[in-house]
Amino acid sequence: MLILGLETSCDETGVALYDGGAGRLLAHAVHSQTAMHEAYGGVVPELASRDHLRRMVALTRRVLEISNRTTADLGCIAYTEGPGLAGALLAGAAFARGLALALGLPATGIHHLEGHLLSPLLSARAPRFPFVALLVSGGHTQLMRVQEVGRYQLLGETQDDAAGEAFDKTAKLLGLGYPGGPALSRLAESGKPGRYRLPRPMIASGDLEFSFSGLKTAVRALTSKEGELAHADLARAFVDAVVDVLVAKSALAMEKTALTRLVVAGGVGANRQLRGALDGAARQRGFDVFYPEPELCTDNGAMIAFAAALRIAAGKTSASGPAFSVRPRWDLAAIS
Ligand code: KG4
Ligand code: ZN
């Protein structure tokens, strides 16, 4: 069955076509709104919703064209039901439901984070269930135990800022624009380690909870105190601190669950320093780490179409009538 996947939870419009029968991603296209939001230093929800509406038809046409298919070939339409910005979610859900109704197809709402954490299964080197998932995005930092499709147990999460949020806020302090995660990561590559020492929040707490808001405060304190601040060295200190905490907690999660596979998902999962450090820890401690393809780390429609395909194959979707809702706040552990 061909599944059209639509992602509109935040500031990327993603559309993809996944062939459930062949187990193959046929095409995916993403339009990022970052240039539009940059002037405001963050996502403006109303602008995000309107832009999703503007992009969706063209992106859907492009994906069908690349795969040499038409709407007549579609079997199901999947969209992000939550969590995310209410207006942005509504734009995608209304488009998906409307298209499904017009074509006489079932439509199904997908949890955004389920999309992220199943996305490494789209890689050539895919993990088997069960595994531990480290979800590190702009809005979430969580460790989950993934038993199988639809069975997710929260092991620990951030008490305040998400890892991506910490990257973005620190990047802003260093004048790197929005969203600054990738730029901060690049700047850190030329920085000297050890010049500035930042805290490793909750690293020794013995549990799987995180806290990142103090790091940004520590960076701010340094930027206001030091006259000649070496930005690259500070970026390096920040990245080293975040990576140390994420690696230590992931290793602890592997130990506590006695599982042997770790899956990393979400935008911060594209971070090179994090990948290097996790690979090192995995070699040392004897577990395997799996990542999505770099272009599928950040928000995209492929992970939504793919999660829908797995849920359909597992008999876990219930296609409903034309009425629909979105869930701006939605706990992943609550789905089945
Ligand atoms: O998963 P995602 O695309 O959107 C959410 O669902 O939040 O993640 C976006 C986040 C942003 O905070 C962005 O700065 C961060 O991921 N990010 C990175 C990198 N690439 C994206 N952070 C650090 N290093 C990167 N290479
Ligand atoms: Zn995301």
Side-chain angles (χ1 to χ4, degrees):
M1 185 204 285
L2 287 197
I3 300 166
L4 184 72
L6 298 154
E7 153 62 33
T8 65
S9 65
C10 188
D11 59 348
E12 263 103 24
T13 318
V15 181
L17 195 57
Y18 185 80
D19 185 338
R24 202 160 65 84
L25 180 64
L26 299 182
H28 90 106
V30 177
H31 173 79
S32 169
Q33 303 176 350
T34 49
M36 183 180 77
H37 296 298
E38 198 174 4
Y40 306 93
V43 177
V44 183
E46 177 63 23
L47 294 182
S49 321
R50 291 189 209 180
D51 203 61
H52 287 309
L53 285 176
R54 256 196 303 272
R55 308 286 171 184
M56 252 167 326
V57 174
L59 284 173
T60 302
R61 284 212 171 104
R62 193 191 318 161
V63 159
L64 287 169
E65 219 172 275
I66 296 171
S67 357
N68 215 4
R69 303 291 206 287
T70 70
T71 50
D73 299 316
L74 298 178
C76 176
I77 299 182
Y79 61 92
T80 305
E81 186 173 333
L85 301 170
L89 291 167
L90 270 173
F95 176 76
R97 288 278 172 178
L99 187 60
L101 192 64
L103 297 172
L105 293 176
T108 184
I110 295 294
H111 195 295
H112 180 81
L113 296 180
E114 181 174 38
H116 271 307
L117 70 80
L118 295 177
S119 61
L121 275 74
L122 268 169
S123 308
R125 183 176 164 268
R128 280 183 294 117
F129 294 109
F131 53 76
V132 171
L134 172 68
L135 269 174
V136 270
S137 70
H140 293 84
T141 300
Q142 299 183 327
L143 278 159
M144 310 274 319
R145 182 194 171 98
V146 179
Q147 198 59 36
E148 58 177 10
V149 175
R151 276 184 69 196
Y152 312 114
Q153 181 199 349
L154 182 66
L155 301 171
E157 66 182 334
T158 185
Q159 306 299 300
D160 40 58
D161 290 356
E165 197 178 349
F167 262 93
D168 294 341
K169 286 177 175 171
T170 301
K172 203 170 179 177
L173 284 172
L174 299 183
L176 294 174
Y178 172 86
L184 185 59
S185 163
R186 271 194 305 277
L187 182 62
E189 276 173 23
S190 61
K192 274 194 299 293
R195 168 140 181 207
Y196 301 104
R197 178 77 195 166
L198 292 173
R200 268 71 176 153
M202 294 186 79
I203 199 164
S205 61
D207 56 22
L208 299 172
E209 309 297 318
F210 301 85
S211 166
F212 289 111
S213 66
L215 262 179
K216 146 207 80 192
T217 312
V219 171
R220 187 183 296 124
L222 276 174
T223 51
S224 59
K225 208 167 61 198
E226 301 253 341
E228 268 299 296
L229 202 65
H231 278 195
D233 298 344
L234 186 53
R236 177 65 188 257
F238 171 82
V239 173
D240 285 349
V242 174
V243 166
D244 274 0
V245 173
L246 291 174
V247 171
K249 297 280 175 165
S250 301
L252 184 60
M254 300 314 289
E255 212 178 290
K256 283 187 188 263
T257 57
L259 294 178
T260 57
R261 288 173 291 272
L262 175 70
V263 156
V264 183
V268 183
N271 183 270
R272 285 180 46 189
Q273 291 96 337
L274 176 63
R275 287 186 176 211
L278 278 175
D279 289 342
R283 267 193 306 275
Q284 223 175 40
R285 292 164 174 260
F287 60 84
D288 284 320
V289 195
F290 299 83
Y291 306 95
E293 300 295 333
E295 62 177 287
L296 299 184
C297 277
T298 47
D299 291 350
N300 63 84
M303 67 185 195
I304 301 303
F306 180 61
L310 294 187
R311 292 189 68 83
I312 290 167
K316 295 200 171 192
T317 46
S318 49
S320 51
F324 66 91
S325 59
V326 293
R327 306 189 206 208
R329 300 180 67 87
W330 190 8
D331 180 5
L332 180 59
I335 74 172
S336 57

